[in-house]
Amino acid sequence: QVQLVESGGGLVQTGGSLRLSCVASGSIFSINVMGWYRQAPGKQRELVATITSGSSTNYADSVKGRFTISRDDAKNTAYLQMNSLKPEDTAVYYCTAQVVAMGVPADYTAWGQGTQVTVSS
């Protein structure tokens, strides 16, 4: 099984920055797409950013120009650099990864348990 663990969440002021990390571990054969979702209380979960194995990225319009997703394949890790943070960025951020486990001829989406990001106004 593949496990994802997020870290780097916390409390920051409006305009501040935060960097989230997501480490994948377990019997990993390959990781195709990695991404970040977020969910605020009482709101729908939304896709924030994705990055492919070829380092092609995609961002939600609400974070474009402020957030940057990256990955380090040697460490099976994805990052989300968040700059110019706004109160509306407050949410639990979840890491996801499209993975192929060792010995399993099919991929699936793994999820982390989330990390809280709070931006004060």
Side-chain angles (χ1 to χ4, degrees):
Q1 294 182 349
V2 177
Q3 189 171 68
L4 305 180
V5 179
E6 304 102 328
S7 63
L11 174 64
V12 297
Q13 296 184 66
T14 297
S17 297
L18 214 54
R19 193 190 198 201
L20 306 183
S21 298
C22 172
V23 181
S25 62
S27 299
I28 301 170
F29 179 76
S30 65
I31 302 176
N32 187 4
V33 181
M34 299 190 78
W36 293 90
Y37 281 79
R38 68 184 182 185
Q39 187 168 30
K43 296 187 176 181
Q44 296 277 72
R45 194 130 102 188
E46 64 173 338
L47 181 63
V48 177
T50 61
I51 183 166
T52 69
S53 59
S55 296
S56 177
T57 60
N58 189 54
Y59 299 92
D61 289 340
S62 60
V63 307
K64 200 167 295 182
R66 299 188 297 120
F67 291 11
T68 302
I69 188 171
S70 60
R71 63 190 288 168
D72 184 339
D73 290 337
K75 298 180 179 180
N76 287 328
T77 301
Y79 305 94
L80 185 68
Q81 178 66 47
M82 305 183 294
N83 299 325
S84 302
L85 284 163
K86 307 173 181 179
E88 49 262 47
D89 294 319
T90 295
V92 176
Y93 284 70
Y94 298 91
C95 177
T96 68
Q98 184 187 38
V99 303
V100 178
M102 197 72 71
V104 181
D107 61 353
Y108 69 97
T109 301
W111 289 84
Q113 61 186 44
T115 184
Q116 177 71 47
V117 171
T118 302
V119 185
S120 62
S121 59

